[in-house]
Amino acid sequence: MRWVLLLVASALWWSLPVAARADDTASGEAGGRVAFIGVPGLLWDDIDPRDTPRLWELAGQSGLGSVSVKTVGTVTCPYDGWLTVSAGVRSAVGRRCGLPPEPIAQGQGAIVPEVRELLGTRDGTYAGTLGTAVHAAGECTAAVGRGAALALADKAGQVDLYASEPAGLGDWARCRVLAVDVAALVEPYLEDGRLPQDPEAISPERRRDLARQADSEVAAVLDRLPAGTEIVLAGIGDHGSVPHLRVAMWKRPGITDRAGGAGSPGGEGAAGGTGGSGGSSPGEGPSIGTNSTRRDDLVVLPDITPTILTAAGLAPPATVVGLPWRLGDPITPADLVRADTAGVSVRGTTGVFFTAFAVLQVGFYAVAYFLMSRRRRLGLVGTAAIVLACVPVSTYAVNLLPWDRSPYVVVTLIGGVLAGTALIAAVALLGPWRRDPLGPPAAVAAITAAVLAGDLLTGTTLQFNSLMGYTAVVGGRYYGLANIPFALLATAVLMVTAIAAELLVRAGHRRPAVAGVAGLGVAATLLAGWPGVGSDFGGVIAFVPGIAVTALLVAGRKVSVLKLAAFCVLGGVLVSVIAVLDHLRPPAAQTHLGRFVGQVLDGTFLPMIARKLGAMLNTLLSPNLMPIVLAGLAFLIFAVLRPGQVSAGVVPRAFAQAPMLRAGLVGALVSGVVGMLVNDSGTAVLSMAVALAVPLVLHAGVRSSESPAGEAERPRSEIFF
C-alpha cells in the first residue's frame, strides 16, 4: 500500500500544471488578413527555381516546414484534406474520395450542400467549424475553387464570396479570411474520382509539368493578394497510394526576405521570379512547428485551422484540436526533403522488416528446440538468444547515425541495425559481467532501458523514423513513447530491476530489493506517462500491474486475480490523474492526454475510442506479430511443463537458481497482456515483450545449466504464481 501511495503521489508531483512557455505562435495583428493556399500533393521535391519560380520565391520569404496530412485512412485524398481544414479535427468522407464537391453559386457567394450531410457522419461531425467561427465573429469568407469553398463554408454550407478561379473573384480585399484551391498537381492522379494505387501513375516529366502549372496558379493568387496579407500555404493531400510529408510555408510579418543570398529564392539568377539559376534549393529559413507534434519542423492538418483563425485575430473554437503554427530554428528545404525520404523509406521497409523479424524469431525457437532436445550446442543457443534480444534496441540506436543522408537509404538503415545488433551483443557477451549467467541478460535489458529513457528525455529523436517506432508519414504519433517502445521499455526495466533484486535477495536484503523494483518502476512509469515526455495513456495502465506483480513476487507474496485487477484499476486511476492535470494547463501546453479529457467532457471522444478499438482488434491476427507471440510463449510454456523434452530443463533451472528472474518475466508478460488490451497496437505490445524477455530468460537458463550441478530444481507448480 505504501508503494501504491508513493506511485500516486509521485504522479501528482511530476504532473503538476506548469506555466505554458511563450510560444511564437500565429498571433497576427487584430484585424489582420490571411490567405490560405491549399496545393494538394505538393512536395518540397517539386519546388526549384527553374520550374516553380514563384513558389521558390515565396519559400525565400516564408517559414518552412512539413505537414503530415494523415486524416483517418492511410492516404488522404483532397476531399479529406479540405474537410479536415474545415473541421479543425481529423476528418474523412469515407467512400466519396477524390476532389471536394462543386459549390452551387448563390449571388456573389456559394453554398456547399454536402456540409450538412457530413455533419451526420462519424468522421465529418465538425464540418463547417472554420467558416462558422469566422461568421460568428462578424467577418466574411472568400473562396476560390471547390476545396476552398468546402474549407470556409459554415455549418449551413454558406460561403460569402466565391469564384471557381482567381480571375473570377472581384474583391480580394473585402474579407479578412480567404482560401484558394490549387488542384493542378493532384487532378491528373484521380481515376474514377479516386487516387490511383500506383505511385508511379504519372511520369517524372509529367510531374514537372504539373508543378509548373501549380506554380502558375499560385502566382495568379499572389499577384492579386492585398499588401500585408499573411499567407499560409500547405500541400493538404496525397497524390497516390504512398503517403508523404507535404510542403508548409508561412509568410507573415517579421520574417526577413532572404532574397539576394546565394542559392536563395528570389536571389541572383532568379530575378523577377521568372528564371532560375539552377541552384540546388532555397536558402535557410525559420522552421514551422507546432505543439501538436512537439517538433520544430512538422505540423499536422488540424493545425491549419487555428493558424488561419489566429492570424485573422479570431479565437479558435473549443472543438478544434490543432494548435497554431510557430516559428523555430533555421532549416532548409533540403532538410525537409530528407525528412520525407526518411519517413517514406522507413514506412516502406517496416513491413518487410517485421516479417523478417517474425521469421527469425520462429526459426530461432525451432532450431533451439531441435538442439536443446538433443542436448547439443546449448552455448550457441544462448549466444543466439542474446543477439536476437539486441535487435529491437538497435532499431533506435541506428538513428544516432546519419543514415538518411546516404544515397542508399534503406540499405544503410538495415546495415546500421545489423551493425548495432552485433555491437550491443558483443558488449553484453564479452563484458566482465559475462561470468554470471544473469550478466548478459542484465546488460541487454539495461542498454535497452537506457536508450529508450534517454530518448524520452531528449525529445524522442531515436523513436522518430525508426523501424520499431513511428513516422510522421504514417501519422499515428509524432512524439513521446509509442506502443512498441513502451513494451520494450517496460520489459527491459522489469527484467533489469528483477535481476538487481536477485543480487540483493542473495545478500539477504529483500526489502531493499522490493523497494528498488518499485522505485525504478515508478520512475519509468512517470517517464512513460509524463505529458510532453512519454505521453503514453495506455502504457501507464499496463506498466502499473507489471511493476506491482514483480514487486509482490520479489517480496515472496502471492498474486491473485483480484489483486491483478486492482492494479489495473490503479493504472487507470493514475493515468487519469495525469491526464486531468495536463488538461488544467493552458491549451497550447496540453498534450493529447489533456485534450482527451476535454473530449470526454464535451462528449466527442467516442469516434476516437472506436477507431482505436478497431485498430487493436485488427492486430490480433497480424501475420507479422502473432507468430512472435505464439512461438515465444509456446516455447516458454513447454520449456516449463516439459523441460526434459523441450529445453533440457534450462528454464526451470534458471528459475531455481535465480527466482527473481521469474518475477521479472511474469511482470513483463502481465504488462504485455494488459498493454495489448488497452493500446491500439494490440498484439504488437505483447509480441515485443515476448521478443525481449523470453530470449533473455533462455540465455540465463543455458548459462545456469553450465554451472556446477547440485541445486535442486523447484517444483514446476511454483515456477509461476
Side-chain angles (χ1 to χ4, degrees), residues 203-262:
S203 68
E205 293 76 14
R206 176 62 173 150
R207 177 78 184 183
R208 285 194 292 272
D209 289 338
L210 296 175
R212 283 191 285 267
Q213 182 180 343
D215 184 74
S216 177
E217 293 184 21
V218 170
V221 175
L222 297 178
D223 290 340
R224 290 173 167 81
L225 289 177
T229 300
E230 194 163 322
I231 299 173
V232 175
L233 184 146
I236 61 170
D238 288 308
H239 65 270
S241 59
V242 178
H244 283 267
L245 298 180
R246 304 292 169 175
V247 168
M249 297 185 198
W250 187 20
K251 181 180 178 181
R252 58 171 303 202
I255 297 181
T256 302
D257 188 343
R258 300 182 296 281

Side-chain angles (χ1 to χ4, degrees), residues 537 571-581 597:
F537 195 96
V573 171
L574 175 60
V575 76
S576 297
V577 170
I578 294 174
V580 168
L581 292 173
V597 173

Side-chain angles (χ1 to χ4, degrees), residues 106-382:
Q106 194 175 74
Q108 291 183 311
I111 189 168
V112 185
E114 283 79 359
V115 170
R116 284 171 290 186
E117 298 175 12
L118 291 167
L119 291 174
T121 64
R122 186 186 70 175
D123 295 322
T125 303
Y126 297 101
T129 296
L130 175 56
T132 299
V134 176
H135 285 163
E139 300 293 335
C140 68
T141 54
V144 177
R146 55 170 66 181
L150 175 62
L152 294 185
D154 61 17
K155 292 187 180 297
Q158 185 69 46
V159 180
D160 300 306
L161 298 180
Y162 176 73
S164 59
E165 56 185 22
L169 189 66
D171 189 353
W172 286 72
R174 177 177 168 184
C175 298
R176 284 167 53 188
V177 178
L178 168 75
V180 182
D181 181 2
V182 177
L185 264 175
V186 76
E187 283 180 332
Y189 287 91
L190 296 170
E191 298 175 353
D192 300 324
R194 300 185 64 86
L195 293 171
Q197 294 302 307
D198 180 10
E200 305 298 331
I202 301 294
S203 68
E205 293 76 14
R206 176 62 173 150
R207 177 78 184 183
R208 285 194 292 272
D209 289 338
L210 296 175
R212 283 191 285 267
Q213 182 180 343
D215 184 74
S216 177
E217 293 184 21
V218 170
V221 175
L222 297 178
D223 290 340
R224 290 173 167 81
L225 289 177
T229 300
E230 194 163 322
I231 299 173
V232 175
L233 184 146
I236 61 170
D238 288 308
H239 65 270
S241 59
V242 178
H244 283 267
L245 298 180
R246 304 292 169 175
V247 168
M249 297 185 198
W250 187 20
K251 181 180 178 181
R252 58 171 303 202
I255 297 181
T256 302
D257 188 343
R258 300 182 296 281
S264 66
E268 185 177 353
T274 58
S277 63
S280 59
S281 64
E284 191 177 73
S287 60
I288 303 172
T290 174
N291 274 5
S292 294
T293 64
R294 304 273 166 165
R295 299 194 179 276
D296 288 337
D297 59 350
L298 181 67
V299 300
V300 293
L301 275 184
D303 294 330
I304 294 173
T305 308
T307 302
I308 294 171
L309 290 170
T310 310
L314 308 177
T319 58
V320 171
V321 300
L323 294 169
W325 293 0
R326 53 179 168 79
L327 298 177
D329 295 332
I331 197 170
T332 68
D335 298 325
L336 299 170
V337 169
R338 192 164 54 250
D340 178 52
T341 300
V344 172
S345 299
V346 168
R347 178 187 178 274
T349 309
T350 298
V352 175
F353 174 81
F354 272 101
T355 298
F357 188 61
V359 170
L360 187 63
Q361 289 267 338
V362 174
F364 165 74
Y365 289 116
V367 172
Y369 167 76
F370 176 80
L371 294 176
M372 299 180 77
S373 63
R374 289 162 175 75
R375 309 298 199 275
R376 296 172 54 188
R377 309 299 293 273
L378 298 186
L380 178 61
V381 172

Side-chain angles (χ1 to χ4, degrees), residues 70 334 391 426 431-432 443 454 466 494 513 537 544 578-579 588 653-654 715:
K70 170 67 180 286
V391 173
S466 65
L494 293 173
F537 195 96
V544 170
I578 294 174
R653 187 174 294 112

Side-chain angles (χ1 to χ4, degrees), residues 497-683:
T497 55
I499 292 172
E502 174 67 29
L503 301 179
L504 289 171
V505 171
R506 287 177 184 176
H509 305 299
R510 186 175 293 272
R511 288 174 68 89
V514 176
V517 170
L520 290 177
V522 166
T525 300
L526 294 175
L527 199 62
W530 194 348
V533 180
S535 304
D536 187 7
F537 195 96
V540 175
I541 299 175
F543 215 155
V544 170
I547 296 166
V549 167
T550 302
L552 282 175
L553 293 177
V554 169
R557 304 288 184 83
K558 295 288 185 179
V559 179
S560 65
V561 174
L562 185 60
K563 288 181 181 179
L564 186 59
F567 291 134
C568 292
V569 172
L570 176 62
V573 171
L574 175 60
V575 76
S576 297
V577 170
I578 294 174
V580 168
L581 292 173
D582 187 33
H583 179 69
L584 295 178
R585 301 196 297 176
Q590 292 177 14
T591 67
H592 65 276
L593 298 178
R595 290 194 291 273
F596 174 72
V597 173
Q599 290 178 298
V600 172
L601 293 177
D602 62 26
T604 61
F605 67 100
L606 289 177
M608 184 268 289
I609 293 294
R611 286 196 294 267
K612 288 185 175 293
L613 179 61
M616 184 273 287
L617 294 175
N618 286 336
T619 67
L620 293 181
L621 298 178
S622 169
N624 291 336
L625 300 172
M626 189 52 73
I628 298 175
V629 175
L630 296 177
L633 289 182
F635 185 90
L636 179 64
I637 291 170
F638 284 105
V640 170
L641 299 179
R642 299 287 186 271
Q645 300 176 16
V646 175
S647 66
V650 300
V651 174
R653 187 174 294 112
F655 290 157
Q657 295 189 11
M660 301 307 107
L661 185 66
R662 175 197 60 166
L665 173 64
V666 173
L669 293 179
V670 166
S671 283
V673 171
V674 176
M676 179 182 70
L677 298 176
V678 300
N679 282 300
D680 53 4
S681 293
T683 307

